[in-house]
Amino acid sequence: MRKTVALGMTMIMTCALAACGNKNAADTSTPSPSQVSQEAEDSGAGGKEASAPSQEVIKLRYADTCADINPDGWGNAKFIELVNERTNGQVSIEYFDRCSLGSDKEITQSCLDGTLDMCKCTSGNLTEFSDGLAIFDLPGLFRDFEHARTVVEDPEMRQYFIDDIYQETGLYAMIFEFDEPRGLGTTGKEIRTPDQAKGLKLRTTGAPIEMALFNQWGVSSIAQSMTEVYTSLQNGVIDGAYNQAYILNQESCSEVIDNWVQFNQSWCLSVKFMGPTAIEKLGGVDSELFKTVLECAREAETWQAEQWLSFVAESHKDMAEKYNVNVVKLTDEELEVWFDESHAIWDQYVGEGKQFSQDLVDKIQKLAKE
């Protein structure tokens, strides 16, 4: 199903390994998705003002890999709550979290097979089904969080990605989620430039674009699941891991690293999808019920993005103060060196006859300037 992504098509209509952590969250007033789902099932309506549904309840099965310990899980709770309220309980979402029904790829396949109605998949894992979001894994494409959000909130760009995936797979993207770019957590010396990283042994997901980037930096890599990283860092099997700060904290890896530096190169996009069965149950993409659920998803996405900003800042603070990690702050000049290194591999992926069209890359980069 893979194909070159190009914007020339006519418009008609979101680490790489999923973290399945099972750690307890800090206290929060936001209810867990599982709690919201159960409350909706028990009450049949959302809130005191909602009236009892006059029609048969539409039950949707939704699976994710996340837990209720960060804005990913909180955003699911918000979405489920909004759907219950806005449909007066007519749509009930049964939620399965923490990889309870499988990995990204497994729950996406289940959604395509019709045993699930909704699922989450990262852009990297989605390539097994569609290349519609593969462009988001190109390093150095986004300048910062604001740029990344601008791209998925731009009406034309958003609809392009939605249509591309929907036409190819039947999955309809509801929520586009960015957390924070991956950073480099290392033992030993402080790393500020790619030259200082040469010779390091880093954990890799094995994704081709990540491997090309590591080759550009001059590092060697060892493919590992996230559950192996702590022990490998502790025993010197690897010198570092290219991951988000909050993931290193959640997996206790911050206990054994000395330094962490973020340089805004590799962003992880997760997308929540409605599958063909959900669309059919709601009456099709032109139905009012489908549009209501989609509106709830967009509102939850906006709320979730705001939560990520404060959550990421707190994760960096915890890494420095709780785990005594040296959180490196790069100068603008040092940051540009990392962008130059990322752009050096673009010739392998961008251009006529390659994976990504130059036109698409240009449109995305232009949005950083507007």
Side-chain angles (χ1 to χ4, degrees):
M1 290 187 182
R2 302 185 178 184
K3 57 184 176 58
T4 300
V5 178
L7 272 183
M9 65 177 290
T10 303
M11 302 256 176
I12 307 175
M13 296 271 246
T14 111
C15 277
L17 292 177
C20 301
N22 204 16
K23 299 188 174 150
N24 293 327
D27 289 339
T28 174
S29 60
T30 306
S32 73
S34 300
Q35 290 172 325
V36 172
S37 179
Q38 186 59 53
E39 289 169 4
E41 185 74 21
D42 293 342
S43 67
K48 295 181 180 179
E49 300 299 323
S51 60
S54 59
Q55 300 175 342
E56 183 179 352
V57 174
I58 298 171
K59 296 184 178 181
L60 302 178
R61 289 163 53 85
Y62 174 29
D64 203 331
T65 57
C66 70
D68 309 328
I69 56 178
N70 60 49
D72 193 356
W74 306 341
N76 286 337
K78 185 73 171 179
F79 168 59
I80 293 168
E81 179 181 35
L82 287 170
V83 168
N84 185 59
E85 291 176 353
R86 301 284 171 79
T87 67
N88 289 326
Q90 185 180 350
V91 177
S92 173
I93 298 176
E94 183 181 9
Y95 181 76
F96 304 89
D97 66 351
R98 297 175 182 257
C99 301
S100 59
L101 295 187
S103 66
D104 272 10
K105 293 180 181 179
E106 290 169 331
I107 60 178
T108 301
Q109 185 62 61
S110 295
C111 206
L112 290 169
D113 292 341
T115 56
L116 281 174
D117 301 295
M118 297 175 172
C119 68
K120 186 281 294 288
C121 197
T122 61
S123 54
N125 286 329
L126 189 68
T127 56
E128 184 162 313
F129 312 96
S130 167
D131 279 344
L133 297 176
I135 186 69
F136 289 93
D137 287 342
L138 189 66
L141 186 62
F142 304 109
R143 299 300 303 185
D144 49 32
F145 183 79
E146 182 180 4
H147 181 200
R149 289 299 319 168
T150 298
V151 171
V152 297
E153 290 171 3
D154 177 79
E156 181 181 355
M157 292 296 298
R158 187 183 186 95
Q159 199 61 49
Y160 166 71
F161 293 117
I162 289 173
D163 292 345
D164 194 25
I165 300 166
Y166 180 65
Q167 292 167 24
E168 188 173 5
T169 67
L171 297 171
Y172 198 100
M174 301 184 295
I175 296 173
F176 290 77
E177 176 191 19
F178 291 99
D179 44 25
E180 65 171 319
R182 296 182 181 94
L184 188 57
T186 58
T187 57
K189 64 180 182 179
E190 176 181 287
I191 304 297
R192 304 188 69 94
T193 65
D195 281 344
Q196 294 173 341
K198 289 186 185 300
L200 292 180
K201 297 173 293 183
L202 301 182
R203 174 257 180 177
T204 182
T205 63
I209 290 181
E210 182 176 89
M211 296 298 291
L213 186 62
F214 282 8
N215 287 336
Q216 180 66 29
W217 295 346
V219 305
S220 57
S221 56
I222 300 175
Q224 293 182 337
S225 69
M226 199 61 213
T227 57
E228 300 175 272
V229 173
Y230 177 93
T231 302
S232 293
L233 286 167
Q234 189 177 47
N235 295 334
V237 176
I238 57 175
D239 303 307
Y242 190 42
N243 281 97
Q244 298 95 315
Y246 79 91
I247 291 180
L248 293 178
N249 288 347
Q250 288 173 187
E251 298 299 322
S252 300
C253 295
S254 295
E255 296 176 359
V256 290
I257 62 173
D258 300 310
N259 310 284
W260 185 81
V261 57
Q262 185 184 75
F263 31 79
N264 291 2
Q265 300 306 297
S266 302
W267 295 78
C268 185
L269 171 68
S270 295
V271 181
K272 320 291 175 128
F273 293 102
M274 270 193 274
T277 56
I279 296 172
E280 181 180 358
K281 290 177 182 179
L282 294 172
V285 295
D286 295 322
S287 72
E288 288 303 315
L289 206 52
F290 174 87
K291 293 175 183 177
T292 297
V293 172
L294 203 59
E295 287 171 2
C296 293
R298 288 301 304 273
E299 185 173 331
E301 178 181 331
T302 300
W303 179 88
Q304 184 182 55
E306 295 171 354
Q307 308 312 305
W308 272 118
L309 288 172
S310 57
F311 183 84
V312 166
E314 192 64 29
S315 295
H316 296 180
K317 183 180 179 181
D318 282 348
M319 183 174 271
E321 297 181 0
K322 181 178 179 180
Y323 297 103
N324 295 316
V325 174
N326 174 34
V327 177
V328 179
K329 304 294 184 182
L330 298 179
T331 66
D332 291 342
E333 291 76 16
E334 289 170 332
L335 187 60
E336 287 305 316
V337 175
W338 290 98
F339 274 100
D340 290 342
E341 289 287 298
S342 292
H343 295 164
I345 73 168
W346 282 17
D347 284 345
Q348 301 176 44
Y349 300 98
V350 181
E352 186 175 356
K354 297 179 182 178
Q355 189 173 2
F356 311 119
S357 74
Q358 187 65 54
D359 182 48
L360 177 57
V361 171
D362 291 344
K363 287 180 181 291
I364 290 174
Q365 290 192 299
K366 183 180 179 182
L367 288 172
K369 304 173 184 177
E370 295 181 344

